[in-house]
Amino acid sequence: MNSVGRSSPQLASLFARLDKRSAARTATSTLEISPERWAYRFAAAVLTSFELSSLRPWGYDDRRGTHRTTLFPDVIDAPGEANRRLTLKPDVRIESLRRLGSREKFQSALAANPDRRRDDFQCLWEAWLEGEPPAIERMNYEELSWSVQFATWLGDQSRTQDLQTAHRRRSVYALFEHLATKSFTGREDELAQLREYLGVLDPASRTNASWLRQVQLWAANDRMPPPIAITGTGGVGKSALLARFLTEHFHVEPARRFPFAYLALDNPALRVEEPFTLISECLRQLQLLLPEKTSWLDDFSHELRRYAEQREVLVEKSNSSRSRAGRSYQIETREMELYHSFARLLNRIPAAGARGGSGEIEAIPFLLVLDTFEEAIYRGPERLLPLS
């Protein structure tokens, strides 16, 4: 039997007619959406998720609820919901919000479902619908994630870009900010010791005098202080203390922020016996925290990539060559070059925008945090030798 492909004249004509009819049906269905279906769309557009059985339409009296089934083509399962809650498809939501078009109508649509679930996701969405979302710098990582979505739904392109920038930077804090929950209280003495160690001030200090003092502290820190260790039994809150200290400085003006890298050594991707893995993670975080230093960081990124490629070649040759000692020496030499280059990179990070009486201040603290250090010790003290 001869096979006939779509390229045959008969089938090509048939497929063309079918495509034309499909396009016509799609256009017709878009134009002929019933008022009842729009009423349910409007009600669902102001809800992050809902149960179809209890959804009430906006501006339409459907006492029997028979028209809820008309919403089936417009919904998908709500992400992360185990009890089959639904949410509108993004394009349907955007069009519905555009048609509503005003905060007054948003509020009226919300009022159609007074018993709606008010979790954190929904409450933040309602703040956006009211035109009063929290300031970007006050949002945590999760709230920024949600707000990027909300601004997209509302068609606020300029706000979306600002949120995406803040979201990328805040992604570093997402590594630990969940540790410093709202229930974290006290520890003021320990926080004060950390501020004094790094030469930064309490974020609550906002006077010109306190700002000048911080600039002077940064300028005076011309020598690297010795490492500081936070010790205590498991569960006492060491990580939470660090998280609070780092998170509180996210909320200050950019000129008063300090760059840092937070390395949780219980992350299997970070191997203390291979410090370049730590340097790679430091670089990733710095690129997010200091987007204005892209050229410097990109230069080092290229160097780090070359090092990784060269190291892989040297390791392979070392495993197969009789002159393993020589190959190991080459690897160690290349590692030391990388470490010195990384140190020079950190020394080049200026205080972005921080200016004193004589111009821009070039001394700003960089903090390297090694959390869950006991994890590295448990794996074997000999693995810590490359860090010494």
Side-chain angles (χ1 to χ4, degrees), residues 244-265:
R244 174 53 60 90
F245 174 67
L246 295 173
T247 303
E248 69 180 8
H249 281 87
F250 177 85
H251 301 304
V252 302
E253 55 269 26
R256 295 178 63 191
R257 297 172 186 161
F258 56 85
F260 65 88
Y262 174 88
L263 306 180
L265 298 184

Side-chain angles (χ1 to χ4, degrees), residues 40-54:
Y40 279 103
R41 282 184 168 191
F42 292 144
V46 295
L47 304 179
T48 54
S49 68
F50 54 88
E51 294 179 0
L52 195 58
S53 60
S54 59

Side-chain angles (χ1 to χ4, degrees), residues 287-304:
Q287 287 173 321
L288 293 168
L289 291 171
L290 301 172
E292 69 277 8
K293 307 303 176 191
T294 300
S295 60
W296 294 358
L297 298 174
D298 284 349
D299 290 343
F300 182 76
S301 178
H302 296 321
E303 182 174 352
L304 182 61

Side-chain angles (χ1 to χ4, degrees), residues 69-346:
T69 56
T70 66
L71 200 61
F72 280 153
D74 302 326
V75 300
I76 55 177
D77 290 337
E81 293 288 351
N83 57 348
R84 303 290 292 177
R85 290 178 68 87
L86 303 173
T87 188
L88 273 187
K89 294 178 179 178
D91 58 331
V92 176
R93 186 189 298 274
I94 291 171
E95 175 62 17
S96 300
L97 293 170
R98 188 188 67 80
R99 285 176 176 255
L100 283 171
S102 69
R103 296 174 188 171
E104 291 76 14
K105 289 185 177 179
F106 294 157
Q107 294 303 309
S108 180
L110 282 168
N113 289 276
D115 298 327
R116 61 189 178 276
R117 187 172 71 177
R118 289 183 172 88
D119 54 11
D120 291 342
F121 193 25
Q122 177 67 29
C123 288
L124 185 58
W125 175 222
E126 292 185 21
W128 275 88
L129 292 173
E130 294 168 359
E132 299 179 355
I136 289 179
E137 62 272 12
R138 305 304 302 179
M139 296 185 198
N140 60 30
Y141 179 74
E142 186 175 46
E143 290 168 338
L144 285 168
S145 300
W146 294 341
S147 292
V148 169
Q149 187 175 31
F150 297 156
T152 302
W153 287 349
L154 292 170
D156 192 338
Q157 296 182 355
S158 62
R159 187 80 66 90
T160 300
Q161 294 176 353
D162 293 340
L163 286 163
Q164 288 173 336
T165 299
H167 184 256
R168 285 192 295 270
R169 180 172 179 271
R170 189 70 190 228
S171 65
V172 177
Y173 292 79
L175 298 171
F176 52 79
E177 67 179 4
H178 62 283
L179 300 172
T181 62
K182 295 179 181 179
S183 61
F184 182 96
T185 58
R187 302 294 180 88
E188 289 301 324
D189 291 342
E190 291 84 354
L191 288 171
Q193 292 177 35
L194 290 174
R195 295 180 192 123
E196 182 178 359
Y197 168 76
L198 197 59
V200 299
L201 299 177
D202 184 340
S205 303
R206 297 185 177 276
T207 64
N208 291 333
S210 66
W211 167 236
L212 179 60
R213 176 171 166 249
Q214 179 159 345
V215 170
Q216 293 170 342
L217 286 171
W218 283 346
N221 287 345
D222 56 353
R223 291 184 300 176
M224 180 181 297
I228 185 173
I230 302 176
T231 61
T233 58
V236 75
K238 302 183 295 295
S239 295
L241 175 64
L242 285 170
R244 174 53 60 90
F245 174 67
L246 295 173
T247 303
E248 69 180 8
H249 281 87
F250 177 85
H251 301 304
V252 302
E253 55 269 26
R256 295 178 63 191
R257 297 172 186 161
F258 56 85
F260 65 88
Y262 174 88
L263 306 180
L265 298 184
D266 57 354
N267 180 353
L270 302 179
R271 302 186 296 277
V272 293
E273 68 274 18
E274 297 181 349
F276 79 90
T277 64
L278 309 185
I279 292 176
S280 179
E281 176 61 14
C282 287
L283 175 63
R284 186 190 72 84
Q285 295 184 26
L286 286 171
Q287 287 173 321
L288 293 168
L289 291 171
L290 301 172
E292 69 277 8
K293 307 303 176 191
T294 300
S295 60
W296 294 358
L297 298 174
D298 284 349
D299 290 343
F300 182 76
S301 178
H302 296 321
E303 182 174 352
L304 182 61
R305 192 178 302 112
R306 287 195 301 271
Y307 163 80
E309 294 171 353
Q310 294 171 1
R311 185 180 187 279
E312 184 177 355
V313 172
L314 289 172
V315 168
E316 289 179 356
K317 290 183 177 180
S318 178
N319 291 335
S320 61
S321 173
R322 294 180 180 178
S323 57
R324 293 181 179 178
R327 299 296 183 186
S328 297
Y329 175 76
Q330 287 181 291
I331 294 174
E332 292 176 1
T333 301
R334 188 67 186 91
E335 284 178 346
M336 291 305 301
E337 292 174 354
L338 180 69
Y339 303 158
H340 287 303
S341 180
F342 184 58
R344 289 192 296 270
L345 171 70
L346 297 182

